[in-house]
Amino acid sequence: MPRRSAIRLEPLTALLEQQRFTPRDTLLKHITRAEQLATELRKDVEYPEDWVVFRITAYRPDLDSPALISGNALLTDVSALVEHLCDAAHVGKDDLVVGSLSIDDLARTWQVSRKTIERYRRRGLIARRWRDDTAQVRLAFMPDVVKSFERAHEKQLARASGFSRIDTAEAKEIASTATFSSAAQPDVSMAQLAHDLAQAHGRSRPAVRRILDISRIDDSDSMLPAGGTPHLSRGKARRIARAFDFGIPPGRIADRYAVTRVTVHRAALRERVRVLQKAIPERSLQAETHDEQALAAFLGDRVVCHAPPVVPILDTRALVEAIREDAPIDAASERVLTVAHHGLAAHATRMLHDMDPVRPDKHTLDCIETDLRWMLRLRARALQWQRSLIVRTIESHTGRAFRELTPSEVVELHLAAMIGAIEAIARFDPQRGGRLAAPVSIAAHRAIATIASSSAKGRSTRAASPRVTLRDVHDRLAPWQGLFEAHPGLSGILPKLRPQDAQIIAARYGFALAPAPAHPRTIAEVAIQCNVTAPRVVGAERRARRAIRTNLAQ
């Protein structure tokens, strides 16, 4: 029985929930429209939530601030949505179109494996789930869907159909050719030998390299170059990257996996780029409107360049008192902050997806991660500026003062409103004009409306406790935040570090100890500011990570 795919996008999950009582004939129409939609989606485009719902159901919901969904994520989840709709409609053999193909038939037609077909399903190849006379679940691919996918992925299918595995005879031939080649060219490196043989045999370089590594290990008298580093599998590269990020010295990692230190650094860098490119989709953020000089001018403004970490107020009484003292948000300052926030996100995303994942540049990656850290600082500042509006929105929705809500209501409503505000800030485009308060208020109202209040609106209920501890949302500013943000305990470990290391870390991450203006900086910028070398900055970061690890173990 094929496993049913899970839906990860909240808009599609909500759409599926709304179809519980939809007639079967209507569900079949939804399935057909979803199949057609999948053929028109592009990975690098963002689509409004209401437009997606309209294309599937022919009904456009009235949404004040529709969410934007990346085409890449939508392709995967539309396929999952069709499966769930098929189960809801109890699709049978009579509901299939003449000429429909099973997954085995399609694999034979395209001359690929079933596993490849499963990968294609995550790229927009829609399958219908249906049950045969024995209630066995099967997959069927409609002819129109197959033809559309073939037109859109013609080159990819041609390349996949020509793929074959290296059998024993071919592996022996490659190893034998490599032995003769290395004897004829004693100075040839293992990497160059694998590259030449891969081109000669029409195979990938990693596949050839694995054969040469195995041959060299199995044959003690092998004449293959002994200085080369064995090819790293994806799993080993991930383990090396995790150990490197954890602060383990590269020399110990190299000894553990029998590789060189250069290989450790390269593997950690490639894995970091791969994870970031997968986690942060390529989005159209109107990056062309932000030239380098204009963005630099906004980043030099005091509102933006001095961006230390925002300290959240989680005590309700202290929060109310702080809101009373908050000054009105200046429109000019808000525009500077939002334009810088938008520009940093666009600039970092563009550089990230322009980077070669095989030969990434560590300096460019450092600039990308620094821009994203700075952007999240600005997002946290914008959220702090909207805290008064969020509390007023909660009071307006419940009809009661913030202090009159029960502890559970305060925590739940405040958390929902803050998460909604974060999503609104992330989507806000200052180039379209307007103030940030409007989308934040709408998003907060929508988030709060999804929560069923435990007491009737307008009823005054004194909180059971005068003080309530709210939940911190500053670790939810973005889904990919944890990939490069500083460890939560890093600022607290600074007094235990060497004075110069503490100064370097504070300058690197823009902590309060850093000289103003405090904001995240690249390794090169920190080296200039602290009058040290770049390796000294990297070493300070590694020692700080080890200090955190030691502190957690105590």
Side-chain angles (χ1 to χ4, degrees), residues 206-271:
V208 174
R209 180 61 184 272
R210 280 194 292 270
I211 292 174
L212 300 185
D213 291 336
I214 293 173
S215 177
R216 190 179 60 185
I217 294 172
D218 293 343
D219 186 4
S220 58
D221 298 328
S222 175
M223 298 181 64
L224 295 178
T229 302
H231 175 74
L232 292 178
S233 65
R234 175 62 61 82
K236 185 178 291 186
R238 287 176 178 172
R239 291 192 292 272
I240 289 176
R242 283 199 297 267
F244 186 85
D245 291 339
F246 201 59
I248 298 176
R252 289 180 56 188
I253 302 174
D255 295 340
R256 171 67 177 81
Y257 292 98
V259 296
T260 64
R261 293 191 180 192
V262 174
T263 301
V264 170
H265 285 279
R266 185 185 299 117
L269 188 62
R270 288 177 177 174
E271 183 65 15

Side-chain angles (χ1 to χ4, degrees), residues 1-4 114 129-131 135-139:
M1 177 184 296
R3 185 176 62 180
R4 189 172 61 182
R114 286 175 59 104
R129 289 171 64 93
W130 64 283
R131 294 181 181 271
Q136 182 72 26
V137 176
R138 302 184 182 276
L139 295 179

Side-chain angles (χ1 to χ4, degrees), residues 32-196:
T32 303
R33 294 193 191 99
E35 291 173 340
Q36 178 62 30
L37 173 63
T39 64
E40 302 172 7
L41 295 175
R42 293 175 53 189
K43 291 183 178 181
D44 56 346
V45 176
E46 286 191 332
Y47 298 92
E49 174 186 353
D50 55 348
W51 181 84
V52 174
V53 174
F54 172 74
R55 287 300 308 272
I56 297 175
T57 65
Y59 165 75
R60 186 182 295 275
D62 185 15
L63 302 178
D64 296 321
S65 181
L68 293 178
I69 309 174
S70 69
N72 192 27
L74 195 56
L75 275 172
T76 301
D77 274 21
V78 165
S79 178
L81 175 66
V82 169
E83 293 185 48
H84 286 263
L85 291 176
C86 288
D87 283 350
H90 302 290
V91 173
K93 187 175 182 179
D94 295 337
D95 300 311
L96 304 181
V97 180
V98 176
S100 301
L101 299 175
S102 67
I103 188 169
D104 292 323
D105 293 337
L106 187 58
R108 284 192 294 269
T109 301
W110 286 348
Q111 298 180 8
V112 296
S113 64
R114 286 175 59 104
K115 189 174 182 180
T116 300
I117 298 296
E118 292 293 343
R119 286 197 295 266
Y120 289 163
R121 290 177 61 201
R122 296 192 292 270
R123 301 176 186 176
L125 179 61
I126 306 298
R128 294 192 184 186
R129 289 171 64 93
W130 64 283
R131 294 181 181 271
D132 58 16
D133 297 336
T134 61
Q136 182 72 26
V137 176
R138 302 184 182 276
L139 295 179
F141 299 86
M142 302 299 100
D144 293 341
V145 173
V146 173
K147 292 179 181 178
S148 298
F149 193 86
E150 288 175 341
R151 287 194 299 268
H153 302 81
E154 182 178 359
K155 294 182 179 179
Q156 184 178 3
L157 289 173
R159 186 168 59 252
S161 62
F163 173 81
S164 61
R165 296 187 179 277
I166 300 177
D167 55 21
T168 305
E170 186 176 3
K172 289 182 178 179
E173 181 184 354
I174 292 175
S176 176
T177 305
T179 301
F180 284 112
S181 299
S182 59
Q185 306 175 41
D187 297 333
V188 69
S189 66
M190 181 68 85
Q192 184 62 43
L193 188 61
H195 174 77
D196 295 341

